Amino acid sequence: MARYIFITGGVVSSLGKGLASAALGALLQARGYKVRLRKLDPYLNVDPGTMSPIQHGEVFVTDDGAETDLDLGHYERFTGVPARKSDNVTTGRIYQEILAKERRGDYLGATVQVIPHVTDEIKSFVLDDPGDVDFVLCEIGGTVGDIEGLPFFEALRQLRQELGRDRSLFMHVTLLPFIRAAGEMKTKPTQHSVKELLSIGIQPDILLCRCETPIPAGERRKIALFCNVREADVIEAMDASSIYEVPLAYHREGLDAQVLDHFRIDAEEAPDLSRWQRIVDIVRAPDGEVTIAVVGKYTELPDAYKSLTEALVHGGVANEVKVNIEWIASEIFERESPEHHLGEVHGILVPGGFGERGAEGKIAAARFARERKIPYFGICFGMQMAVIEACRSLAGVEKAGSSEFGGVEEPVVGLLTEWTKGNERVTRTSESDLGGTMRLGAYRALLRPGSKVAEIYGAEEISERHRHRYEVNDAYRERLEAGGMIFSGQSPDGLLPEIVELVDHPWFIGVQFHPELKSRPFDPHPLFASFIGAAVTQSRLV
C-alpha cells in the first residue's frame, strides 16, 4: 500500500520544491523503493500548453501526450520513471471535470461547492492509480497562503485524516534568509510560513530549509521549537553548484533517513549513491570544455529551455566535458552578421518555438553552420528553419517559407492537418483551439539504413516525443535530396518527415521531435551525446 509524501512551499516561489521532490524520489529509489511523483498546479489554465514560455517556463510533454509543468522533467530525469497525464493536474482541469459532471447531472441536483466537490476531485487525482509503488510524492505548486491554492491545501488536510500519519508525511520547503548587513540568519519567515500552514490545519513533519550558509545550532533549535518539529527534522538545504549534487547533499543532511523514520521503516542500510557521485565528479572535474550557442526566441528565461539545458549537460557527461552555453536571441541575426556571435563556438543549436518573430535569424544561424561546417542541431522549429534555408540555398526554391507566418508561395513547412495516432486518424484545422491540439506525445519513426542518425541511435526504429502544429512538406523531398539534404527519418506511414541531415557536413541534423525530453544524466540521449562529441572534435579545429 503506497505511502504519500506531500511537498509544500512557503515564503517565496522558486525555492526548488520540484527539485527537492525529484531528489527525495531518487534517494528513496536508491534505497530500493518504487516511487511515483505528481504535481498539483493551482492556476486556472487547463494545462500549461497555451502559456508563454517567458512567463511559465518550458512545457514538458509526456509519452501519452500531456502538456505538463516543467517540474515533471525534473521528476523523470532524477528517477527515470516516465511521467503520465495523470501525474499533473491544474485547477483548470479540476473545474473542467466538475463542470462536465454537473452538466451531465452526476451530482443529482446538489449545489456544487468547493467543499466537498472540488476537494473530492483533488483527492481523487492524488489517490488515482499510483501503480505498484511504495511512495507517491505529491508537490503542490505556489506557496502556502496563495488564495488559489487553498482548495488544494484543504484537500491535503482531509487526506491526512483519511490516510493517517503512518501513510502520509508533510514536507515544507521554506527559506532562511541571511541578512548580511546584520550578519544574521533569520528564522522568522520560516516561522510565519509554518504558522500559515498550521492555520489551514496542516502540521509539517519535516522542514527543508533553503539557505546560503549552514544553519547554526541555535537557529536550528529555535526553528524546531517554534515550528513544533524535532531538531532532526529541520533539514539544511544549501545552494548547490549543480542540481545533480542535491541528492547527495540531502542524504548527508539525513532527509531520506528522517522520511523513513517517520514511516517507521528501518533506515540502517545506506543507499547506493555511487552513480550520483560519478555524475558530480565529471561535472566538477571535466576533461575539457566546449561552447554551444543556443539561438532561440525565449533566451531571456533559460527555464523556457530547461530540458534542453540539462540534455546538453548530459551530453557533456557522456563525453566527460563541460558544456558552456551561450544564449543568443535569434532576432539579432536579422540585423547583423552571425560571425561575431557564432564564429568561435563549437556547436549551434536552434530549439523549438512558435511564431514568425526571430525566424529569419534562426535561418541565418542554420546557414552559418552549414557553410562553416560547424555542428548544427535543429530541434522542431529549428529543423524547419534549417529545411527552409536548405531549400533556398541548395534546392533553388528562393521563396521557401512556412505557412505559419501567413501566405507563402512555397510552403516548405505547412500546417499539419492529419496524422496517425495509434490506430486512429487525427485531424486538425487552422480554426482548431490552440490548447491540446498539436501532435503531442510519443510517435514512432523509421530511420534510413546507413544514415548518420541510424548510426547514432544504433537502431532503425525509434520512439520520440512531439509537440508541434506544423510539418515539413514531403513534396520538396526530391529537390532537397538532390541538393544534399536527405530525409533520414520518417513516420511509419512514410508521410511525415521526422529527421533531416546533410550528407557532406560533419554533423548537421534536424529533428521534428524533442529528444531533450527523454535525456537522463545516467542515460544521455544519443543525439545529444553525439552532438557534444562533434563539438569536442570541432573545438580541436578552431
Side-chain angles (χ1 to χ4, degrees):
M1 189 175 292
R3 299 171 177 88
Y4 290 81
I5 301 172
F6 302 111
I7 299 95
T8 61
V11 186
V12 294
S13 59
S14 301
L15 282 180
K17 296 192 305 297
L19 191 56
S21 303
L24 177 56
L27 289 174
L28 292 171
Q29 274 188 330
R31 289 183 177 274
Y33 297 104
K34 296 179 181 178
V35 300
R36 175 158 291 283
L37 291 95
R38 288 181 164 163
K39 177 76 183 287
L40 305 168
D41 276 310
Y43 51 75
L44 281 170
N45 304 68
V46 173
D47 60 43
T50 58
M51 298 168 72
S52 167
I54 296 175
Q55 182 179 99
H56 185 264
E58 132 186 298
V59 174
F60 189 80
V61 179
T62 61
D63 279 337
D64 59 1
E67 294 176 286
T68 72
D69 184 80
L70 62 83
D71 280 328
L72 272 74
H74 284 313
Y75 303 164
E76 281 205 18
R77 283 187 287 274
F78 275 64
T79 68
V81 178
R84 305 179 302 204
K85 185 176 182 179
S86 58
D87 291 328
N88 188 205
V89 75
T90 68
T91 297
R93 208 169 106 209
I94 293 289
Y95 275 91
Q96 188 181 58
E97 293 287 335
I98 289 171
L99 292 174
K101 289 181 179 180
E102 187 272 334
R103 291 293 84 187
R104 289 197 303 265
D106 291 4
Y107 297 119
L108 302 176
T111 301
V112 180
Q113 298 177 290
V114 173
I115 303 173
H117 301 101
V118 174
T119 52
D120 281 353
E121 199 71 32
I122 294 169
K123 290 189 293 182
S124 176
F125 164 79
V126 171
L127 300 174
D128 181 53
D129 187 26
D132 179 24
V133 299
D134 301 296
F135 294 95
V136 176
L137 286 72
C138 222
E139 176 196 349
I140 296 83
T143 57
V144 60
D146 295 344
I147 190 168
E148 61 265 29
L150 290 176
F152 290 92
F153 286 103
E154 170 59 22
L156 299 187
R157 184 196 67 79
Q158 295 176 23
L159 275 174
R160 178 57 170 258
Q161 301 302 315
E162 296 168 16
L163 293 170
R165 187 185 184 282
D166 290 342
R167 288 190 59 207
S168 63
L169 178 150
F170 280 95
M171 183 172 83
H172 192 53
V173 183
T174 186
L175 177 68
L176 290 179
F178 183 81
I179 308 301
R180 297 194 181 278
E184 291 181 320
M185 177 179 285
K186 293 298 183 180
T187 66
K188 194 63 71 176
T190 291
Q191 293 178 47
H192 281 298
S193 180
V194 172
K195 183 179 179 181
E196 186 72 33
L197 202 57
L198 286 168
S199 71
I200 300 170
I202 295 173
Q203 165 66 56
D205 302 297
I206 290 176
L207 295 179
L208 190 64
C209 301
R210 291 296 312 278
C211 50
E212 298 179 16
T213 60
I215 305 174
E219 273 65 24
R220 191 184 295 267
R221 286 194 298 271
K222 185 177 181 181
I223 293 168
L225 176 64
F226 282 95
C227 297
N228 197 32
V229 298
R230 298 177 304 173
E231 282 187 47
D233 291 323
V234 178
I235 305 295
E236 180 181 281
M238 288 183 59
D239 296 343
S241 58
S242 165
I243 63 172
Y244 301 112
E245 294 180 27
V246 174
L248 296 171
Y250 285 1
H251 172 65
R252 286 195 299 269
E253 290 302 313
L255 175 60
D256 49 325
Q258 292 307 116
V259 167
L260 295 181
D261 180 67
H262 172 89
F263 291 115
R264 296 181 174 85
I265 298 173
D266 182 13
E268 290 184 6
E269 188 173 340
D272 180 7
L273 298 175
S274 57
R275 65 175 189 169
W276 287 100
Q277 189 62 57
R278 175 184 171 274
I279 298 296
V280 170
D281 290 343
I282 293 174
V283 171
R284 286 177 176 172
D287 286 341
E289 57 184 68
V290 296
T291 300
I292 303 298
V294 176
V295 182
K297 293 180 62 173
Y298 318 116
T299 52
E300 61 265 49
L301 181 70
D303 266 1
Y305 302 110
K306 189 61 182 175
S307 291
L308 184 72
T309 303
E310 297 310 319
L312 287 169
V313 172
H314 305 162
V317 168
N319 291 275
E320 299 190 355
V321 297
K322 177 183 179 182
V323 177
N324 300 309
I325 301 176
E326 289 193 9
W327 299 99
I328 302 174
S330 59
E331 290 173 281
I332 198 170
F333 299 144
E334 297 173 4
R335 302 187 300 271
E336 57 187 78
S337 167
E339 175 67 40
H340 176 68
H341 299 276
L342 302 179
E344 296 185 3
V345 302
H346 308 126
I348 298 170
L349 192 152
V350 177
F354 296 91
E356 188 173 7
R357 179 176 65 85
E360 288 297 328
K362 292 187 175 186
I363 290 171
R367 181 182 302 114
F368 188 86
R370 178 180 59 79
E371 293 175 345
R372 295 295 188 91
K373 304 294 186 183
I374 299 172
Y376 176 87
F377 195 178
I379 295 176
C380 196
F381 195 79
M383 166 188 164
Q384 296 171 4
M385 297 305 101
V387 171
I388 289 174
E389 194 284 319
C391 271
R392 293 176 182 177
S393 302
L394 303 177
V397 187
E398 296 181 2
K399 296 184 178 180
S402 171
S403 63
E404 182 176 0
F405 311 148
V408 291
E409 289 188 34
E410 298 282 359
V412 173
V413 176
L415 180 67
L416 184 62
T417 56
E418 61 177 53
W419 63 91
T420 301
K421 178 72 170 177
N423 296 321
E424 298 181 3
R425 201 68 179 164
V426 183
T427 60
R428 294 287 186 269
T429 71
S430 59
E431 303 303 317
S432 297
D433 289 343
L434 293 180
T437 62
M438 290 183 277
R439 189 177 182 220
L440 293 165
Y443 286 85
R444 293 186 302 124
L446 304 181
L447 307 183
R448 179 182 290 196
S451 64
K452 191 171 191 68
V453 288
E455 176 188 345
I456 291 170
Y457 276 98
E460 293 184 2
E461 181 176 325
I462 60 173
S463 175
E464 295 283 3
R465 297 177 187 176
H466 291 247
R467 183 176 183 253
H468 61 101
R469 189 173 285 106
Y470 290 81
E471 188 84 40
V472 171
N473 190 338
D474 191 65
Y476 291 85
R477 175 203 297 266
E478 290 186 9
R479 279 175 280 183
L480 278 165
E481 296 205 343
M485 175 174 276
I486 65 170
F487 287 25
S488 53
Q490 285 189 275
S491 59
D493 59 12
L495 299 177
L496 302 177
E498 295 278 19
I499 307 175
V500 298
E501 60 185 70
L502 287 176
V503 294
D504 63 346
H505 192 285
W507 210 101
F508 192 107
I509 293 173
V511 297
Q512 185 58 74
F513 45 83
H514 288 270
E516 69 271 21
L517 299 178
K518 295 182 73 171
S519 188
R520 311 283 181 265
F522 316 113
D523 185 21
H525 193 284
L527 286 174
F528 280 92
S530 178
F531 174 58
I532 298 302
V536 171
T537 301
Q538 180 72 15
S539 70
R540 297 172 183 147
L541 303 175
V542 174

